[in-house]
Amino acid sequence: MRKLLPLLSTNPHGGGRSALTCRFRCGDACFHEVPNTSDNEYVGDVIAGVLSRRSALRAAAVVTVASAAGGAVVLGGAPEAVARPGKPGSGKVDGARGLRFAAVAPNTADQVTVPAGYAQNVVIRWGEPILRGTPAFDSEKQTAKAQAGQFGYNNDFLSLLPLRGEHHRQVLVANHEYTDEVLMFRGYDSENPTREQVEIAWAAHGLSVVVVQEEHRSGKLTPVTRHHLNRRLHTTSEFELTGPAAGSDLVKTSVDPEGRIVLGTLNNCAGGTTPWGTTLHGEENFNQYFAFGSSATDKRYGVGTGASERKWERFDKRFDLRQEPNEVHRQGWVVELDPYDPDSTPRKRTALGRFKHEAAQPRLTEDGRPVVYMGDDERFDYFYKFVSSKRMKKGGSRAAREHNLTLLDEGTLYVAKLTGDSPAAEIDGTGKLPNDGEFDGSGQWIPLATASADGAVSHVPGLTADEVFVFTRLAGDKVGATKMDRPEDVEPSPRSGRVYVALTNNSNRGKGTNPGADEANPRNLNKHGQILELAEHWDDPASDGFAWRLFLVAGDPNDPATYFAGFPKEKVSPISCPDNVAFDPHGNLWISTDGNQLGSHDGLFGVATQGERRGELKQFLTVPKGAETCGPIIQDRRVLVSVQHPGELDGASVENPKSEWPDGPGKIVRPSVVSVWRTDGRDIGV
Ligand code: FEO
Ligand code: CA
Ligand code: CA
Ligand code: CA
């Protein structure tokens, strides 16, 4: 029997998060009513109408193939549950290629714990200068001006891009999701923040671009300060709205009567890296920054009617919705950044819809059109994809680059509807597998709107195209999209094309009047989350149908309500609250967690997705007290993670820190990026 660590005390927030996390990160989203109270089921007629219109748009030949093929791709059979025997005494660690490391045990150490034989370094901390002329970090004398040239707070999504012509260097792009004022400012008075504190927080949000130097023969990375590509974008930086909702009446404000230029990007959570060398950044819990909302400004996004937590509305009227009701419509998008052009204005791509975007990860159709998968991270919200109508141009010419920077402005936005294949009576809400042995079924991509150079067309009766793109949640409600358990990060496998979606948890599933379990979300009061595996029909990412099954149902493997793709449970690590996902060069899926409910700190795990070891999950690292693991990147030689919100535990403050990471006792706690590598210089996990 696996010995479990004692459970954390019961937390009213539904996950393993501290109250501080809820307050600063999500604006206490868990305390509020679930925003999706729509009754989707009545809309069957609407779907039928939408589907017939969509079918008419598609080539008749394709429809014929669909009928002939029965319309579904069948996901392969359950893996053979066979584990290769270990080699005792040889010192060789067993596992799928890329995952041959000694699994890290669940623990509550105030450090980044890595497998034996691995080393680590802090790549960059909150406050380290990255721009020319920026002073060194001094937490007691911090200024907004300094922060605007320094690495931001609460690093989340990470991307590493190649840097041609510069030896052993890469370009690191990071999201800075939100600020923890009580952990940043000594004596912080949340009722009376000062202008300087607010402006520091503005500058600590957003994005960083920083070139990093590789160390010879290790995976160590260090920042190259003052590189010409280094960049900070934050709450007062300029962003361009592009695509169908740009210029619409819904996004015009008194300072931007054209509705095309927005200041700031907020709550950038996860993201993605495009095949044409740009990065995508999801604007997630943007609602919490706005004050004095109303039913006209809310539209199911959880915009509050009172003052905001951070009181920014006292210092800039754009955060006061009584004065600028449309300002909130200018957040909640996917931002596209060109990290290779430090003078470029990042774009908010309105064709990808507006919701609490966790992540956005593209893959290409056979004819080269990008398809972007996206989750809306809220209990009972939806999973989406965008299919571009334009093909990516290859090559590094200026013309190709300019063309590729328009790919995400034209195409169709879809929302997912999932149908289980087992009788509803067999989905009893406990997580017990149905009689066919799998939580699985088929799915439809329901089109919401199409954007083209000639304008945009709504596919949702009763909503204009502008409304679909700006109030995308309402469009999902109307077409009967499936209410999911917090769709977070998403990653298509570069090898198989299958798409993996992290569904973090949903403590409200089956509670009160909330919807109960369904086959894709099979546990009521779901504390630990699951990972969905999706295969598009004919392996075509532009398809309007897919097959799905649950790849992992997370939790303690001793809990019968868990599932690890059929792999023997006694051979896997416990996992809780999957959040960010990434693939390694061997085709293994890596999963970071947010809010572990099994008594351990959050961590990073690797799991084989193919072959006889499919489902063999192993823990690679754990993070310090109060922290969440984000932004994993797995390269041949290194594993990179964001250690987000270390020390964010109830009662913590600058005066009373709850973590000593990364710099030890007496030093302020700092969110940081960490790189991990093998001390013998070989590749990760081989
Ligand atoms: Fe920012 Fe959904 O986590
Ligand atoms: Ca089934
Ligand atoms: Ca996240
Ligand atoms: Ca990812």
Side-chain angles (χ1 to χ4, degrees):
M1 282 283 283
R2 186 182 307 276
K3 184 154 179 344
L4 280 179
L5 292 159
L7 287 176
L8 292 172
S9 58
T10 312
N11 174 327
H13 306 262
R17 289 176 176 175
S18 73
L20 209 53
T21 306
C22 296
R23 178 177 157 203
F24 284 111
R25 191 247 298 271
C26 322
D28 279 331
C30 305
F31 279 138
H32 303 150
E33 291 302 308
V34 164
N36 192 353
T37 52
S38 65
D39 175 10
N40 282 352
E41 291 309 311
Y42 75 99
V43 289
D45 295 346
V46 177
I47 302 165
V50 168
L51 290 177
S52 62
R53 276 195 303 285
R54 171 185 50 182
S55 300
L57 293 171
R58 293 184 62 87
V62 174
V63 175
T64 310
V65 172
S67 312
V73 163
V74 178
L75 287 157
E80 264 183 73
V82 180
R84 202 175 289 149
K87 292 184 181 168
S90 69
K92 187 170 159 45
V93 183
D94 212 19
R97 187 168 172 78
L99 300 177
R100 292 177 191 146
F101 52 80
V104 165
N107 70 80
T108 55
D110 191 24
Q111 61 179 35
V112 176
T113 303
V114 299
Y118 284 75
Q120 60 178 296
N121 83 306
V122 173
V123 178
I124 189 165
R125 297 159 174 80
W126 162 49
E128 287 192 37
I130 60 175
L131 301 187
R132 202 179 295 275
T134 302
F137 179 68
D138 181 343
S139 66
E140 301 293 339
K141 294 181 186 154
Q142 181 66 316
T143 64
K145 188 162 179 275
Q147 180 66 74
Q150 297 170 340
F151 198 64
Y153 201 80
N154 270 345
N155 33 252
D156 195 312
F157 168 74
L158 303 173
S159 181
L160 275 173
L161 296 116
L163 188 53
R164 282 180 206 90
E166 293 193 39
H167 212 45
H168 295 302
R169 286 182 171 178
Q170 299 186 65
V171 184
L172 174 68
V173 183
N175 282 356
H176 302 292
E177 188 179 16
Y178 67 102
T179 46
D180 276 300
E181 279 74 357
V182 294
L183 303 182
M184 296 168 71
F185 305 119
R186 187 178 292 279
Y188 181 69
D189 175 358
S190 61
E191 290 307 311
N192 297 291
T194 66
R195 173 170 284 278
E196 189 68 23
Q197 287 169 335
V198 166
E199 291 188 355
I200 291 168
W202 288 348
H205 276 72
L207 318 174
S208 285
V209 180
V210 55
V211 172
V212 287
Q213 181 78 45
E214 302 170 0
E215 185 180 76
H216 191 47
R217 292 180 184 281
S218 88
K220 184 175 181 177
L221 294 175
T222 47
V224 179
T225 52
R226 298 186 291 276
H227 193 281
H228 75 278
L229 291 183
N230 289 2
R231 197 170 182 194
R232 278 302 323 282
L233 293 145
H234 44 74
T235 314
T236 55
S237 309
E238 212 167 88
F239 291 75
E240 182 187 358
L241 281 170
T242 69
S248 105
D249 286 345
L250 294 171
V251 297
K252 291 176 179 167
T253 65
S254 63
V255 295
D256 178 32
E258 301 293 315
R260 297 191 180 271
I261 299 294
V262 180
L263 293 188
T265 185
L266 292 170
N267 215 259
N268 298 101
C269 191
T273 306
T274 70
W276 54 95
T278 63
T279 49
L280 303 178
H281 308 267
E283 295 180 338
E284 196 191 12
N285 294 297
F286 60 90
N287 55 307
Q288 65 180 300
Y289 300 96
F290 293 90
F292 309 118
S294 63
S295 56
T297 53
D298 178 21
K299 306 283 190 192
R300 207 164 81 55
Y301 289 89
V303 179
T305 53
S308 72
E309 168 67 39
R310 294 178 180 80
K311 316 287 187 292
W312 290 1
E313 65 276 10
R314 293 181 192 169
F315 303 94
D316 188 335
K317 70 169 187 172
R318 70 189 160 112
F319 297 107
D320 181 342
L321 296 175
R322 295 172 303 193
Q323 299 191 60
E324 286 291 355
N326 282 349
E327 192 66 45
V328 70
H329 302 155
R330 293 143 63 85
Q331 301 286 340
W333 303 102
V334 169
V335 171
E336 182 174 16
L337 171 72
D338 181 356
Y340 295 109
D341 180 358
D343 299 321
S344 60
T345 302
R347 278 92 166 204
K348 298 198 179 195
R349 301 296 188 191
T350 66
L352 276 56
R354 176 173 165 270
F355 42 91
K356 292 187 179 178
H357 280 284
E358 171 82 14
Q361 185 57 48
R363 65 188 276 224
L364 295 176
T365 61
E366 213 152 86
D367 65 359
R369 290 175 294 134
V371 174
V372 186
Y373 297 91
M374 303 173 285
D376 181 351
D377 179 12
E378 182 113 38
R379 294 167 293 170
F380 303 108
D381 258 292
Y382 308 133
F383 186 64
Y384 299 83
K385 80 170 175 182
F386 168 81
V387 180
S388 176
S389 54
K390 296 170 90 169
R391 293 180 189 186
M392 183 181 101
K393 283 190 179 154
K394 291 189 178 155
S397 72
R398 192 182 177 86
R401 191 140 193 95
E402 275 175 15
H403 168 84
N404 291 340
L405 287 167
T406 68
L407 295 173
L408 301 184
D409 287 337
E410 292 176 31
T412 299
L413 180 64
Y414 299 82
V415 71
K417 182 176 175 67
L418 288 79
T419 307
D421 70 356
S422 293
E426 292 181 15
I427 310 299
D428 65 4
T430 67
K432 180 171 170 279
L433 285 171
N435 291 334
D436 68 358
E438 279 199 302
F439 296 114
D440 61 344
S442 59
Q444 293 171 324
W445 291 114
I446 304 174
L448 300 176
T450 299
S452 73
D454 301 328
V457 180
S458 167
H459 306 303
V460 182
L463 292 181
T464 64
D466 283 353
E467 288 169 332
V468 170
F469 289 113
V470 177
F471 307 126
T472 308
R473 283 184 167 181
L474 301 184
D477 296 346
K478 279 188 178 279
V479 302
T482 298
K483 297 174 179 179
M484 307 296 289
D485 287 345
R486 296 186 52 202
E488 295 241 19
D489 197 5
V490 54
E491 205 74 25
S493 164
R495 296 206 168 187
S496 69
R498 289 180 185 171
V499 179
Y500 293 81
V501 187
L503 299 155
T504 295
N505 58 39
N506 185 347
S507 51
N508 276 34
R509 174 76 59 186
K511 192 172 171 183
T513 56
N514 291 301
D518 59 37
E519 199 161 345
N521 303 279
R523 290 185 296 191
N524 287 330
L525 311 177
N526 178 10
K527 285 203 302 192
H528 301 300
Q530 63 265 21
I531 292 188
L532 181 90
E533 180 182 58
L534 183 160
E536 300 273 18
H537 286 181
W538 319 289
D539 280 334
D540 172 11
S543 168
D544 55 11
F546 57 91
W548 62 267
R549 65 182 172 198
L550 296 191
F551 173 61
L552 293 183
V553 181
D556 182 324
N558 291 320
D559 175 353
T562 57
Y563 177 74
F564 295 83
F567 198 80
K569 291 193 194 178
E570 65 278 12
K571 294 178 178 165
V572 305
S573 296
I575 183 171
S576 176
C577 304
D579 186 349
N580 295 157
V581 282
F583 275 90
D584 69 17
H586 309 281
N588 303 304
L589 182 70
W590 290 61
I591 305 159
S592 61
T593 66
D594 170 16
N596 184 303
Q597 281 275 282
L598 294 169
S600 171
H601 285 179
D602 276 317
L604 178 67
F605 303 75
V607 60
T609 58
Q610 292 177 299
E612 64 183 19
R613 290 183 177 275
R614 178 179 149 90
E616 185 180 25
L617 178 89
K618 295 173 74 174
Q619 180 148 18
F620 182 77
L621 62 72
T622 50
V623 292
K625 283 185 190 169
E628 163 186 352
T629 324
C630 305
I633 297 175
I634 297 85
Q635 297 186 321
D636 288 329
R637 301 286 292 277
R638 67 180 59 76
V639 173
L640 214 65
V641 288
S642 270
V643 177
Q644 198 193 37
H645 59 75
E648 189 186 66
L649 290 168
D650 294 349
S653 61
V654 171
E655 297 82 353
N656 181 28
K658 302 273 181 171
S659 168
E660 295 181 345
W661 193 84
D663 296 320
K667 300 284 171 59
I668 194 162
V669 186
R670 293 165 82 177
S672 306
V673 176
V674 168
S675 183
V676 182
W677 63 90
R678 260 172 88 151
T679 49
D680 64 7
R682 298 184 63 207
D683 284 358
I684 302 292
V686 300

